Amino acid sequence: MNRAERRRQDRAADRALKSDRGRELAPFLSEGMAHHRAGRLREAEACYQRALELVPHHPEALHLLGLVAYR
């Protein structure tokens, strides 16, 4: 992925966060992070996956899902 494609994805993610779907995304991310901190990785993964169903390619959800996969 080159720099221009990355910027397009970042702008799309920003627009998605400002939309109604983006507002629906926040509870999934915060719940997932709570599970993640508590060591409940399967539950965290499920929350991050639900967030990505709402906003595909969301940078934070992808990053957090990658951290779960790493562990």
Side-chain angles (χ1 to χ4, degrees), residues 17 22 27 33 44 69 71:
L17 281 177
M33 286 188 277
R71 290 197 74 202

Side-chain angles (χ1 to χ4, degrees), residues 31-41 44 48 64 67-68 71:
E31 181 182 350
M33 286 188 277
H35 287 304
H36 201 151
R37 280 188 227 108
R40 296 183 299 268
L41 298 180
Y48 301 146
L64 293 168
L67 291 177
V68 169
R71 290 197 74 202

Side-chain angles (χ1 to χ4, degrees), residues 10 15 20 25 35 40 48 53-54 59:
D10 288 345
R15 283 191 305 271
D20 291 336
L25 183 77
H35 287 304
R40 296 183 299 268
Y48 301 146
E53 287 172 8
L54 290 172

Side-chain angles (χ1 to χ4, degrees), residues 30-59:
S30 62
E31 181 182 350
M33 286 188 277
H35 287 304
H36 201 151
R37 280 188 227 108
R40 296 183 299 268
L41 298 180
R42 287 185 183 152
E43 292 86 350
E45 181 180 2
C47 290
Y48 301 146
Q49 289 289 353
R50 281 185 262 149
L52 287 171
E53 287 172 8
L54 290 172
V55 182
H57 307 292
H58 184 268

Side-chain angles (χ1 to χ4, degrees), residues 14-34:
D14 288 341
R15 283 191 305 271
L17 281 177
K18 293 174 185 172
S19 71
D20 291 336
R21 289 192 134 177
R23 287 184 216 108
E24 294 172 13
L25 183 77
F28 291 120
L29 290 178
S30 62
E31 181 182 350
M33 286 188 277

